[in-house]
Amino acid sequence: MSQYKKVAFYTLGCKLNFSETSTIARSFEEAGYAKVDFDDNPDIFVVNTCSVTENADKKCVQLVKKAKKVNPDSFVVIIGCYAQLKPEKIANIYGVNMVLGANEKFDIIKHIENTEFHEGVTIEYGKIKEVQDFEPSFSYGDRTRSFLKIQDGCDYFCTFCTIPLARGKSRNASIEETLNEANKVAATEVKEIVLTGVNIGDFGQGGEENFFGLIKELDEIKGIDRFRISSIEPNLLSNEIIDFCLNDSKHFVPHFHIPLQSGSDELLVKMRRKYLRSTYTDRVEQIKSIAPNACIGVDVIVGFPGETEEAFMETYDYLNELNISYLHVFTYSERANTTANKMDDVIPMNIRKERSKMLRILSEKKKRAFYESQIGKSGIVLWESQNDDGYINGFTENYIKVKHPYDESLENKMMEVNYLSIGADGLMFAEIV
């Protein structure tokens, strides 16, 4: 397969996938390919998949159809979590030309260039237990922020989750190697780095290096104004990490996203989580005792097997009383080869959807209340690089999305703003100080 062809990318799922897609895309450009938009008649389509929910699987099929509609003669490559979990199933999707597993996706150019167009479907994947390498990645293209992959895989095997099957064991580079990647980002115009991975608090896996040591070193990097932690398990979010981020660091922001999954201790045990509700409460109270204006986001799963009406309301009431800022609500989805998929007491889908709707409404109420508590206060916003119907938007250090009449000169600048009022779109009107 010759060089100088056009390639397009589409990413499903998490920030980790975005960081990997961006790194893979740069490798194509360095090899002489032209990166184009999905609708710009590419010769090659690369779809980086997620498999957290059934909907992500369906989206993969839809994207293959769309790719072949844009260019019927294109070469379609599927990579990512779904590709590792279900390579044979993906190979049977009409229009797919190549499927690459967890390790193989980073050698995608070699695999493509050793393959002729339309000679059948090529499948390359290894056993996930044999995946040992850590491939550093970071996203680049958004001028304001970059997602930096610091860790991959997970050793927890929660009963609802396929990620250990798709990404393998928990692993990472050394602190020194991770700092080298962060310095590459710092050499660009990016102002904010978001630390991402599957289970980032497990950095070091109990060895001599750990997540706390990493963030202390990252905090000393020149050229990055802000570091944000994407998501961290409550049992791994220690007091020393909280205290450092909120009291001692120069660049880490007062924003934590902490997965809960359920407010019922009985369900947490069934999910095989590593904590009970009391630990979660303690983490939230510790954060708010130091930084009352800190933003706290929560992941929660609705409709897990055995979630009675009483158990759901236990979760709902707990979250309603908890001093948090917003929720990410996931409707439980049966996944093959997980322990939960074999459990009894399956919750009907219509009930799952009703409960999801209740929690999403609660999330809006929580977010609104958090924003209202900030009116009259001030924050530091990083303005983004786009005109949104006459406004420029950006996020403050505690993750409040603010808006201001558009001014191109503000793009990618950090400025102090006063919070004025909440618009009909839920964003905070801001006044530049």
Side-chain angles (χ1 to χ4, degrees), residues 24 44 57 88 124 203 241 297 316:
I24 291 169
I44 302 167
D57 298 355
E88 303 291 344
E124 297 283 350
F203 184 96
I241 292 172
Y316 185 93

Side-chain angles (χ1 to χ4, degrees), residues 118-144:
H118 312 302
E119 66 170 18
V121 182
T122 301
I123 304 174
E124 297 283 350
Y125 74 101
K127 293 180 180 179
I128 199 63
K129 290 181 180 179
E130 297 172 1
V131 176
Q132 304 289 339
D133 296 337
F134 177 81
E135 298 286 346
S137 302
F138 61 85
S139 66
Y140 181 68
D142 178 351
R143 288 174 58 201
T144 57

Side-chain angles (χ1 to χ4, degrees), residues 18 110 173 175 259 315 343 413:
F18 277 95
K110 180 187 75 175
I175 288 179
T315 297
M343 291 180 178
K413 289 196 169 77

Side-chain angles (χ1 to χ4, degrees), residues 27 43 112 138 194 232 282 315:
S27 71
D43 301 293
I112 289 176
F138 61 85
V194 182
I232 185 167
D282 180 70
T315 297

Side-chain angles (χ1 to χ4, degrees), residues 1 29 36 77 95 120 157 174 354 361 402 406:
M1 189 177 292
E29 291 177 295
V36 299
V77 187
F157 285 93
S174 67
E354 288 172 9
I361 292 171
V402 302
Y406 181 75

